[in-house]
Amino acid sequence: MASPSRAADSADRIYFTLVALIGGALLIYFAAVPALGLNVAFHFYLMLWITMASAFNVASGFAGYMPFGYVAFYGVGAFTTAILVKKAAFPLFLALPLSGVAGLVLALLFAPTLRLAGIYFGIVSLALAGICRLVITNMPEQITGGSFGLQLGSRAQPLQSFYVMMAVMVLALATILWLSRSRLGKALRATRDDAEAADMMGVNVPRVRLYGWLISAFFPAVCGGIEAWYTNVVDTETAFNTLITAKTVIYAVAGGMGTVTGPIVGAVAMVWLDELIWRQFPLLNLLILGVATVILVLFLPRGIVGTILRRKPHWRRYVP
């Protein structure tokens, strides 16, 4: 009979082998997209949704929050990049990380709402996202472009922004992989399951929640900045569209939250399904996608990966 230490070493080997295989497959596939003549725009947004769903997983799957106003970080990041590049003549590669900083600042402003829980937190975060949109809409037109938004001029470089998006996706997944095995990740799960018990065990609950909240806010803000660069235009109607939050939640839930692979699987499956439905039934796209989502939630309430792990609980030590 194998000793516990040998069993743990074997599990770790399988775990990191799966990490290397999944990460390597993603890198090779996305890096080869332009060379293979595949649809760059589709794969750009696929990487964006993988990043968004994975970052949302930190707030919801790890920390137990449901921020219905998650789009606020995306929109603020998009406008930060556009304003810095268009109005302040910042280089793009300096504006993009600053859009992430803007997301962190916004997360700190929202931090007092972390005292709330459940539906109360969700409603407040949705209201705060609406406030962000109104603030930017009512700022001087010389800064935000008013109702017409901002155009970045001739700065659009689809191929370059594609690879930058790939780098951000890799950084997000690496961060969440580290988080899933770190003391911070374990503390986040403990506070999600029972905050009072975690506090009695010595976990600094407010600090742990804040760290998770900041991680989940940084990446959507950067995604918003990259998407503004990719499309070359940003306005409040698209940057603060609540459908961004809706899709992020659907993709994360479809794969199964609380794991690293869940949001990846969910985003890949649902984005491909969305594309297939849109091609075949362009007028009924949202209706059919909504029905498919309802069916998925009814039959796989824990998501694809979550359901597999529930039926095969011993796989949890192997699956990232």
Side-chain angles (χ1 to χ4, degrees):
M1 184 175 178
S3 66
S5 61
R6 287 186 178 180
D9 290 342
S10 176
D12 284 344
R13 281 196 297 271
I14 296 173
Y15 180 92
F16 287 111
T17 300
L18 284 173
V19 167
L21 289 173
I22 295 170
L26 283 173
L27 272 176
I28 293 170
Y29 177 76
F30 283 114
V33 163
L36 295 175
L38 300 177
N39 190 327
V40 172
F42 170 79
H43 287 89
F44 173 87
Y45 283 101
L46 177 56
M47 292 189 294
L48 183 145
W49 290 119
I50 288 174
T51 307
M52 292 283 290
S54 297
F56 179 84
N57 184 35
V58 177
S60 191
F62 283 79
Y65 289 103
M66 185 57 72
F68 294 138
Y70 200 60
V71 68
F73 302 119
Y74 181 92
V76 166
F79 268 95
T80 299
T81 294
I83 291 170
L84 290 177
V85 171
K86 181 70 175 179
K87 300 298 182 179
F90 272 59
L92 263 164
F93 288 100
L94 179 58
L96 290 175
L98 288 176
S99 68
V101 173
L104 294 177
V105 171
L106 186 63
L108 288 172
L109 292 175
F110 285 4
T113 64
L114 296 176
R115 302 170 188 169
L116 303 174
I119 192 64
Y120 303 105
F121 176 84
I123 292 172
V124 169
S125 70
L126 182 61
L128 290 172
I131 291 172
C132 289
R133 176 177 178 173
L134 287 173
V135 168
I136 291 179
T137 300
N138 289 285
M139 287 178 71
E141 188 172 333
Q142 295 81 2
I143 299 175
T144 61
S147 58
F148 296 101
L150 292 171
Q151 293 186 351
L152 276 67
S154 58
R155 295 175 178 85
Q157 295 177 314
L159 195 58
Q160 198 171 18
S161 54
F162 175 88
Y163 283 114
V164 171
M165 187 70 251
M166 186 175 76
V168 171
M169 178 190 71
V170 170
L171 178 61
L173 294 178
T175 301
I176 295 160
L177 179 65
W178 163 82
L179 180 67
S180 68
R181 295 178 68 86
S182 68
R183 292 181 62 184
L184 175 60
K186 294 173 183 176
L188 274 171
R189 291 190 182 100
T191 57
R192 175 199 63 193
D193 295 337
D194 192 329
E196 291 185 2
D199 183 60
M200 291 179 65
M201 293 297 292
V203 175
N204 189 327
V205 173
R207 182 182 298 175
V208 163
R209 285 174 168 171
L210 178 61
Y211 288 161
W213 182 238
L214 291 174
I215 292 172
S216 69
F218 176 80
F219 290 105
V222 177
C223 284
I226 299 173
E227 203 267 347
W229 176 27
Y230 184 79
T231 59
N232 212 33
V233 64
V234 59
D235 62 83
T236 53
E237 187 67 27
T238 55
F240 289 94
N241 192 330
T242 54
L243 191 60
I244 293 173
T245 297
K247 284 189 172 184
T248 301
V249 174
I250 289 170
Y251 298 161
V253 171
M257 294 189 290
T259 65
V260 179
T261 52
I264 300 173
V265 172
V268 170
M270 296 304 290
V271 170
W272 277 101
L273 179 62
D274 189 18
E275 178 71 8
L276 181 63
I277 293 172
W278 185 86
R279 287 183 181 180
Q280 299 297 323
F281 310 99
L283 299 179
L284 300 174
N285 176 44
L286 290 177
L287 174 62
I288 297 175
L289 183 63
V291 172
T293 303
V294 170
I295 293 172
L296 180 68
V297 171
L298 285 175
F299 289 96
L300 299 175
R302 294 176 179 266
I304 299 169
V305 176
T307 300
I308 293 172
L309 293 180
R310 186 183 185 186
R311 293 176 180 174
K312 304 284 186 180
H314 59 284
W315 286 9
R316 290 183 180 275
R317 64 174 67 182
Y318 309 123
V319 177

